[in-house]
Structure formats: C-alpha cells, structure tokens
Amino acid sequence: MTDRTLTVAVLGLGEAGGEIARDLLAAGAHVRGYDPAVRPGPGIRACADEADAAVGADLVLSVNSAHDAEDALRAGLPGLAADAVWADLNTGSPGLKRALAERAGPRFADVALMAPVPGKGLRTPMLASGPAAARAAELLRPLGASVTVLDGDAGEAAARKLLRSVFFKGMAAAVTEALHAAREAGLEDWLRDNIAAELAGADASLARRLEEGSVKHAVRRAEEMRAASQLLAELGVPSRISDASRGWLEQLASSTGSSTIVEGAIRSERGREKGDGTG
C-alpha cells in the first residue's frame, strides 16, 4: 500500500455493518456502502449495488447475513479489482466459507467477529483465515481493528466462532430459562447472585470438571434434570433447555452400558445423597 487513503466497501449497513462503517470513516478511510434496506449514514458513499460498491475498493467487508453471503459475493465480484480483498464477516458455516473462497479465489478472507459488535464496532476482536487473511489484517489494523490471522484455509475462523457460539449461546439460553423460572418462583435475585458467584469463581479447570462430571454422574444428573423440568412445568415455564439437558445426559448414560445397567444405576443413585460438588 502507498500513503493514499484506503477505500473500504461495506455491504450490509445494519447494526453491525453500520457501526463498522462509521468507525472506518472516523479512522480516515473512504467508505462505500450498499444495503437494499438501509440508507448509508453521513460520509458514506451510497452505491447502487454490490458490484458498484466494490468498484475502486481495496477491501470489501460483507456484513449482511450468512443467507445472503453467496448472493452478495456473486453480485459483487464483477466490480472487485484483482488486487482487492473480499472479507466475509458473516456468521456462516466453515463449508459456506470454503464455497465462497472457491468462488472468490486468492482474494477471499474468512473473518469471524468474536464478540458482539455494538459498542465495539471496528475494535471487535476478529479472527481471519483463508488466502487473503493476512492482507485483510494488514489493511484493517492501521484503522484500529484487532485481527488475529490463523494458519489454514477459509473456514478455520468460522469454525472457532461457531464452536464458541455452541458454548456461549447455549449458556445464555440456560441462564435465560433458569431466570425465567426463578422469577416465577420469587427467587430471581437469589439465582442472579448464585450465577454471578459461580461465574466469578470459574477457573481454567471448569470446562474439564463440567465435562468429566457430566460423564461420571450422567445417570443421577439426568434424574435431577427430570425433576427440574417438573419444577418448570409447575411454574408454567417451558423447559426447553432442561429437557434437552436431560436427553443429553440420558444419552451419555446409555453410551456407557446397556439399558439394564443404566436402569439399575438410576435406582442406586436415587438412594444416595444428592450433590457431588460440581453442580
């Protein structure tokens, strides 16, 4: 790159794309934008379509949706210069990112946003993989972005993002269901404090303890989650996460022996004291 001003096209100007576009503008970049449903903000050059937005851009950021990612790339490629980068920031599967990379070739970067964008904008931590990952990072870092480049093909960044989502979104669903039930039981403040204390006391061994404890105590915990589902039913709260947890624990228990052994273990566990110290 020379000292000339960087031109970045942003496709998708909703909550995430709009905030990133504003930060790019504030960092001194020329910003071209396209969104069929959102009018670009002040200072952002409104474009007729994806290809128009890509014309003259050093970097194109596709921030629309995984559903629209392929169509956006197909429409935008005719305007993309040979030395420009197409960075897909959408939360899509590794398979989708590989398909996009196959179409875009060496100009493609799979970029994963690793935290919520609102409030962070361009400072949202990013992972990048694929043939143009290093180039995308080179262009974005001087503007204030934090980009970690991964070795490997497109899809490596997406895989890490989605694996984190299984944990984080799953935890959010469990917390939301538990708090809903606690609210109905008049125990919301108590449970909020309990959750906060558990998270504050977590350390690097927590994941291992949760995993190993679930396998070791699968039978008893499945019965515990059956009782939890019954409690939620009494409170009039849907038990989607509790039911799913019970089903998973029952599957864990069944995978370690025959159903007869599992049933015997259930009867044995019911006679023991509850609580093993790992939740």
Side-chain angles (χ1 to χ4, degrees), residues 11 31 63 67 71 77 131 133 136-137 158 189 192 215 237 240 267:
L11 308 180
V31 182
V63 202
H67 178 268
D71 288 342
L77 277 180
D189 290 343
R192 285 186 182 277
V215 174
V237 176
R240 301 179 184 89
R267 290 193 295 272

Side-chain angles (χ1 to χ4, degrees), residues 59 85 110 117 126-127 134 160 182 187 195 205 229 231 237 278:
L59 173 66
V85 174
D110 163 23
V117 174
M126 304 179 196
L127 298 180
R160 286 162 174 77
L187 295 168
I195 292 170
S205 69
S229 294
L231 168 63
V237 176
T278 60

Side-chain angles (χ1 to χ4, degrees), residues 61-80:
L61 303 180
S62 180
V63 202
N64 28 64
S65 71
H67 178 268
D68 296 322
E70 288 188 272
D71 288 342
L73 177 61
R74 187 180 300 108
L77 277 180
L80 190 68

Side-chain angles (χ1 to χ4, degrees), residues 225-237:
M225 292 314 298
R226 184 185 303 279
S229 294
Q230 290 171 349
L231 168 63
L232 266 62
E234 292 169 8
L235 294 170
V237 176

Side-chain angles (χ1 to χ4, degrees), residues 1-2 6 18 38 59 63 67 74 100 117 148 152 156 192-193 195 205 209 242 263:
M1 283 293 293
T2 64
L6 190 74
V38 180
L59 173 66
V63 202
H67 178 268
R74 187 180 300 108
L100 295 175
V117 174
T148 299
E156 291 296 323
R192 285 186 182 277
D193 290 343
I195 292 170
S205 69
R209 290 189 291 113
S242 300
E263 289 168 4

Side-chain angles (χ1 to χ4, degrees), residues 153-255:
D153 298 331
E156 291 296 323
R160 286 162 174 77
K161 161 80 172 181
L162 293 174
L163 287 171
R164 181 181 182 276
S165 295
V166 173
F167 156 66
F168 223 92
K169 272 51 175 192
M171 180 176 67
V175 167
T176 300
E177 181 170 294
L179 287 173
H180 186 181
R183 193 174 304 121
E184 294 300 316
L187 295 168
E188 181 178 0
D189 290 343
W190 172 83
L191 185 58
R192 285 186 182 277
D193 290 343
N194 187 270
I195 292 170
E198 291 287 349
L199 294 177
D203 58 22
S205 69
L206 177 63
R208 176 182 54 78
R209 290 189 291 113
L210 290 175
E211 182 183 22
E212 293 178 356
S214 295
V215 174
K216 182 178 180 180
H217 303 287
V219 172
R220 181 181 58 74
R221 291 185 182 185
E223 287 297 291
E224 185 175 330
M225 292 314 298
R226 184 185 303 279
S229 294
Q230 290 171 349
L231 168 63
L232 266 62
E234 292 169 8
L235 294 170
V237 176
S239 56
R240 301 179 184 89
I241 306 304
S242 300
D243 288 345
S245 297
R246 186 187 76 241
W248 170 69
L249 287 162
E250 289 173 345
Q251 185 176 14
L252 276 181
S254 297
S255 69

